[in-house]
Amino acid sequence: MNLYTTFLRPLLFTYDPEWVHHLLIQKLDQTKGKEFQGLKQLIHQQFGYNHLALHQQIWGCHFPNPVGLAAGFDKDGLAWNWWADFGFGFAELGTVTPQAQPGNPPPRLFRLPQDQGVINRMGFNNQGVAHLQQQLTHDLGLEKRKIPIGINLGKGKNTTLDQAWRDYLYGFQGLKNYGDYFVINVSSPNTANLRDLQAQALLKPIFEALQQENLGQKPLLVKISPDLENQAIINILELVTTYDLAGVIATNTTIARPELKSAYAQEIGGLSGRPLTRRATEVIHLIYQQTQGQLPIIGVGGIFTAEDAWEKITAGACLLQIYTGWVYQGPGIVKKILLDLTEKLTALNLSTISQAVGLAHR
Ligand SMILES: Cc1cc2nc3c(=O)[nH]c(=O)nc-3n(C[C@H](O)[C@H](O)[C@H](O)COP(=O)(O)O)c2cc1C
C-alpha cells in the first residue's frame, strides 16, 4: 500500500496547493543543519535507490540516476541539499530572475485531480540571483554535493524582450560558479511575451551573450515550449548548433487545453502532468531525429511511471525531470521509477541506461 496516495495525499489535497508547497520547502529549509543528518539518512534509506546501470556521465558531470527534480519546485534553492536524499539524480533550481519579484497575485496554482494535472501561473516568483548565490554559498561548507545542480535562468517581469539577453547574462554571470549546468528558460507561459524569445532573432543575442561569457566552461541548455510548431523547434535547433549549446529541455508547461474533466481546467496558466505526457514525448522524438541523437535532451512533462520514463528515454532523452508526478504520487515515485527502469534494462539485456536512449529510433 502506498502511504502517500492512501493517507497523506487526501489530507494534503484539502489544503491550498501553494500553501502545502510553501510548507514543505520551509520545513526542508529549516532542517538543513548538521543536527538533521540522521533524518536525512532515514529519508535516503526510504527513497534513495542506487544501481550502476543507471549511472551516466554527461557534460563531464556524474549523474547517479536519470530522474531529476524539474525547475519551479525549489526556485530559491532553499532545499537544494535535500533532493539527493529524496532519490533524485539531479535537481534544477530556479527559475531565478536578476532581482527578487513577487510573481502573479494568488490564487495561481490549481490541482486538476481528475486529469492528474496542475495549472500554474506563478509568474517567476523568486528571491533573485544574489539570494540564490547566498543559499548555495552558505550551504557549500556544510556538506558535499551528491548530485549535479542545474540553475534555470529567466528574465524579470519588466525587462523588454530586446533587453532580455541582459537578464540572462546577469543571472549566468552571478551564478556561473554555483551550478553544474544552466538553462535559458524562454518557455514559461506566465511572463508576458516570454515565449516570443523562442524566435531566432531574439534567441540569438541571448545565446551569443551567454556563450561569450561562458567560453565553454559550463553546459548551457535551452528549455522549450510544447506549444511550438515543429518548424519553430527546428529553427531553435539550428541556433543550438550554431552556438554550440549543450542540450535542450523538452518541455515546459502547455497553454493548450485538451479535453479536461477537472474544475479549474479553464484557469489561465501552464498545464502540466498527464495531459502533457504525449506532446512532450513527441517533441523529444523530433529533437532526437533532427540532431541524429547527437544532442543531450532532458525529457520532462507528465512522467508518472517507469513506462512514461521509458517512452521518453527511448524517444531520445538521456535525462528526465518530474514535477507534477511528485505532487500526485509522492516522494516514493523516484525510487519506484528507478527500480522498474532497472528491471526493464535487465529484461532487455541492456547493461546501462544510456544504451536505451533513442532506442525507438533504431
Ligand atoms: C507550479 C509549477 C511551477 C513551475 N515553475 C517553473 C519555473 O519556474 N521554470 C521552469 O522552467 N519551469 C517551471 N515549471 C515547469 C516544470 O519544470 C515542468 O517543465 C513542467 O511542469 C512539466 O513537467 P511535469 O508534467 O512533470 O510537471 C513549473 C511547473 C509547475 C507545476
Side-chain angles (χ1 to χ4, degrees), residues 95-98 124 152-156 164 167-168 171 183-186 194:
T95 296
V96 62
T97 56
F124 290 168
N152 181 305
L153 306 169
K155 79 161 191 76
D167 281 9
Y168 291 95
V183 183
I184 299 164
N185 178 14
V186 281
L194 184 89

Side-chain angles (χ1 to χ4, degrees), residues 70-72 75 95 109 120 152 185 223 251-252 272-273 300-302 323-324:
K75 290 176 193 273
T95 296
L109 181 57
N120 91 84
N152 181 305
N185 178 14
K223 184 167 179 179
T251 67
N252 215 313
S272 58
V300 50
Y323 190 133
T324 307

Side-chain angles (χ1 to χ4, degrees), residues 338-354:
L338 296 177
L339 264 164
D340 292 353
L341 277 180
T342 317
E343 272 178 20
K344 247 186 196 316
L345 290 176
T346 312
L348 291 172
N349 227 348
L350 299 173
S351 50
T352 67
I353 194 78
S354 42

Side-chain angles (χ1 to χ4, degrees), residues 134-267:
Q134 267 168 24
Q135 278 305 308
L136 293 169
T137 315
H138 175 71
D139 290 327
L140 262 182
L142 211 59
E143 60 184 291
K144 280 243 161 64
R145 291 188 182 193
K146 297 182 195 135
I147 54 172
I149 297 290
I151 298 182
N152 181 305
L153 306 169
K155 79 161 191 76
K157 181 177 185 233
N158 297 319
T159 308
T160 58
L161 292 186
D162 62 330
Q163 296 297 308
W165 62 272
R166 293 184 193 277
D167 281 9
Y168 291 95
L169 182 61
Y170 183 93
F172 185 57
Q173 283 171 329
L175 291 161
K176 194 164 63 168
N177 297 329
Y178 301 86
D180 296 298
Y181 73 86
F182 289 83
V183 183
I184 299 164
N185 178 14
V186 281
S187 47
S188 164
N190 304 311
T191 293
N193 305 322
L194 184 89
R195 286 167 306 139
D196 294 349
L197 293 174
Q198 293 175 114
Q200 275 195 346
L202 289 167
L203 204 49
K204 209 175 139 168
I206 303 176
F207 284 5
E208 195 167 292
L210 267 67
Q211 284 298 43
Q212 252 175 36
E213 171 72 23
N214 188 23
L215 297 173
Q217 293 169 68
K218 295 280 175 172
L220 270 183
L221 290 83
V222 62
K223 184 167 179 179
I224 66 171
S225 160
D227 302 324
L228 291 169
E229 300 285 334
N230 287 355
Q231 186 55 48
I233 296 175
I234 293 169
N235 293 345
I236 292 176
L237 293 175
E238 214 178 275
L239 272 193
V240 163
T241 310
T242 308
Y243 288 95
D244 202 20
L245 260 67
V248 175
I249 303 192
T251 67
N252 215 313
T253 55
T254 177
I255 57 164
R257 291 292 181 271
E259 262 183 50
L260 299 168
K261 302 185 202 78
S262 313
Y264 301 124
Q266 296 313 320
E267 286 292 339

